[in-house]
Amino acid sequence: MTPLPFVLQITEVLYFPYRNRLPSMNFEAEILADPHDNSELYVIPSMRSLTAEEYVEAFQSFLDHSTEHQCMDEFNKEVMPHIMAGLGNGKSTINILGVGSGTGEQDLKMIQILQAAHPGVLINNEIIEPNPQHVAAYKELVNRASDLQGVSFTWHQLTSSEYEQQVKEKNTHKKFDFIHMIQMLYRVEDIPNTIKFFHSCLNHQGKLLIIILSDSSGWASLWKKYRHCLPSTDSGHYITSDSITAVLRKLSIKYHVYEFPSGWDITECFTEGDPAGGHMMDFLTGTKNFLGTAPAALRSRLQEALCQPECSSRKDGRVIFCNNLSMIVAES
């Protein structure tokens, strides 16, 4: 699952700006951000949020110009072997659960690391993924792989909350040695209770991995200043790692945070008429054709904000947006 376009930095609490649109939300706490100084800027009727299909196109532009996947690969190389080595406690089968696994690329990379750490051990990999297209793509990826001997796959085409409800209704509380939630908590209704539930699904000495945008990323600063100017969305939360670690502390769960740098080359955002730059601005703002529909003052201020040190740096004449990730490993 991929992150939403903007993230609000919050200390010790979670924030959901559109509670009236989704009254089922249940948060540990809420706050309102400090009053902004751009009160003359506002959303005009021609501005609208991205549809699911438009978001996919904008997200692809993000992937094409960012190091997000390389960042995760670096984490897999430096940290994941140590995590995987401590799993299983000598058992002949290791149980894994991926929550919001999408099309499965990251899942299979982690399975390869686990296979290297535990040669010959059977791996039972279960997946929770509500998107049928993603499930189909994941299955096709597995069918094409040639190095998955001893690995079984079970897909649950459900949301995380539907899976939780099913487990509780059927009283089938299966335990797992490793559970991962990669860039998916943005779209969970009840974040604290979701973390609590899946942590309760861990075996003794099991690990829960949560990957989410870091508070050191440019998203936090940008969303805090400009979210009021953009079309609202009812599809998720704008959160960063501090919100998640606050929940873990409240639940008295031990954890460790690994920070990994990631960048996104947004130089084309400042080139008039550049198609890639247009997609980038759409992804940054969650707005369809932002450059063509937003008021001139908002376009100017947002582009200026993107160049500020809290959002971006310059390298060889390019503007590199800070897309740092936090890898949070919670213990059972």
Side-chain angles (χ1 to χ4, degrees), residues 182-305:
I182 301 175
Q183 296 280 49
M184 58 75 60
L185 281 174
Y186 312 99
R187 299 178 186 272
V188 167
E189 290 188 2
D190 187 338
I191 292 173
N193 279 329
T194 295
I195 292 175
K196 182 179 180 180
F197 168 74
F198 283 105
H199 184 264
S200 74
C201 294
L202 289 175
N203 272 321
H204 177 60
Q205 296 184 340
K207 305 290 184 184
L208 169 64
L209 170 64
I210 298 172
I211 297 182
I212 200 159
L213 283 164
S214 169
D215 277 80
S216 67
S217 70
W219 297 100
S221 171
L222 200 63
W223 176 249
K224 185 174 183 179
K225 292 179 180 178
Y226 287 96
R227 74 184 187 279
H228 61 281
C229 307
L230 305 171
S232 61
T233 174
D234 57 6
S235 61
H237 311 289
Y238 302 93
I239 56 170
T240 49
S241 56
D242 276 4
S243 298
I244 304 306
T245 55
V247 171
L248 294 173
R249 288 195 298 274
K250 188 174 181 64
L251 294 172
S252 299
I253 296 173
K254 293 182 179 180
Y255 65 88
H256 187 85
V257 181
Y258 301 89
E259 295 281 335
F260 278 78
S262 175
W264 176 20
D265 188 339
I266 61 169
T267 307
E268 279 67 35
C269 285
F270 310 99
T271 303
E272 187 73 26
D274 187 281
H279 288 315
M280 291 178 189
M281 289 301 294
D282 289 358
F283 186 69
L284 276 161
T285 63
T287 304
K288 174 61 177 175
N289 190 21
F290 172 81
L291 293 176
T293 60
L298 176 56
R299 293 198 305 270
S300 176
R301 292 197 181 188
L302 197 59
Q303 288 176 324
E304 181 181 348

Side-chain angles (χ1 to χ4, degrees), residues 157-169:
Q157 192 176 306
L158 303 166
T159 65
S160 59
S161 59
E162 289 169 344
Y163 176 85
E164 178 180 350
Q165 181 180 359
Q166 185 179 92
V167 165
K168 291 178 177 178
E169 288 177 351

